[in-house]
Amino acid sequence: MTGPEAERATGPRSWLPVAIITVAVPLANLAYITGLRDADPALLLSGLVSVTSGGLLAGKPFVDPNVGFTAQALGHLAAVDWLHGVLPWWNRFEGIGAPLAGEMQSAALFPLVILYALPDGQVWFRVVLELTAGLSAYFLLRRLVRSRWAATAGGVAFGLNGTFAWVLHAPANPVAFLPLILLGVEQALDRRGRGLAGCALIAVGLALSLYAGFPDVAFIDALLAVVWLAVRASELVPADALLFL
């Protein structure tokens, strides 16, 4: 059983799975939250300090230096501009000046960019994205499978997926909103007064994907959403499919 019927068949709603996901994501990042490990790209990429590490888990916590060159540096500049009441359109520190919001990878217009003003802002930026991804995936899976615990496992797995673990700059950001867009499509199928709520979720998910700083991935998210929508529409009788679309 899938769809809204599966959601109704699982009994009273429990918020325990939400609590599990909300705890699991910060717990997975605990080494960075507590300062036991330092994920600051400036230490590894600025060339101003020497970093040595050893042991079984030696290595860098990311796979692309853009985590420092674009995400951290430009994100921090955008956050500081916002805090000073300045729209972050322009990067006055690059050559004779260069677009900041238009450069996209700064995610200058993304609401979470303000977290880059904090000392460990990049860690908290990632934690909030992972929570968004995990919780959205859970609520999406609750509409598709019977088991609340299978949906919980799926939410935790998606919230802590390899993209978030290794790609700490802009290309990973829109991934967090993919399940939110798909949840909106599923909500739009619902005839219990939640169709408009589904449209709102789709709009919010697409907008945040674009503002997150990497339109290439946002485009891929949208393509999957279109395929998902087409498949769901094909399962309906023509009149219902037209209403759904």
Side-chain angles (χ1 to χ4, degrees):
M1 185 182 298
T2 60
E5 294 81 7
E7 187 181 39
R8 289 196 293 266
T10 52
R13 176 176 293 175
S14 169
W15 292 102
L16 181 59
V18 173
I20 290 173
I21 297 170
T22 304
V23 170
V25 169
L27 195 61
N29 291 276
L30 194 61
Y32 298 116
I33 292 173
T34 60
L36 185 63
R37 296 277 294 178
D38 198 333
D40 187 356
L43 296 176
L44 298 171
L45 301 172
S46 66
L48 300 176
V49 297
S50 296
V51 180
T52 59
S53 60
L56 295 175
L57 299 178
K60 296 180 180 179
F62 46 80
V63 295
D64 191 316
N66 276 302
V67 64
F69 300 155
T70 58
Q72 185 186 47
L74 300 180
H76 180 76
L77 175 58
V80 170
D81 278 356
W82 280 117
L83 290 176
H84 285 84
V86 177
L87 289 173
W89 298 122
W90 194 252
N91 177 6
R92 57 197 177 279
F93 297 107
E94 183 175 342
I96 60 172
L100 182 56
E103 191 269 346
M104 293 299 291
Q105 288 205 58
S106 64
L109 304 180
F110 187 49
L112 293 182
V113 78
I114 198 70
L115 293 173
Y116 276 95
L118 299 173
D120 293 320
Q122 199 161 32
V123 173
W124 291 110
F125 183 94
R126 191 60 47 191
V127 168
V128 174
L129 279 183
E130 291 175 359
L131 282 172
T132 301
L135 292 172
S136 300
Y138 166 73
F139 286 112
L140 172 63
L141 291 170
R142 284 289 286 125
R143 300 185 65 86
L144 303 176
V145 300
R146 279 179 175 272
S147 171
R148 179 182 295 119
W149 305 116
T152 304
V156 172
F158 192 79
L160 299 174
N161 70 64
T163 298
F164 295 138
W166 287 105
V167 184
L168 305 183
H169 61 300
N173 297 349
V175 174
F177 304 106
L178 174 58
L180 189 65
I181 298 169
L182 300 183
L183 177 61
V185 174
E186 290 297 312
Q187 289 273 33
L189 279 169
D190 199 335
R191 288 190 170 186
R192 292 175 293 166
R194 285 191 265 178
L196 289 178
C199 294
L201 281 179
I202 294 170
V204 170
L206 287 173
L208 290 175
S209 292
L210 288 170
Y211 284 121
F214 212 81
D216 315 50
V217 178
F219 177 69
I220 296 171
D221 283 357
L223 283 180
L224 178 55
V226 169
V227 172
W228 191 291
L229 187 147
V231 170
R232 296 301 264 158
S234 71
E235 298 171 344
L236 304 173
V237 297
D240 288 343
L242 184 61
L243 181 62
F244 169 55
L245 294 173

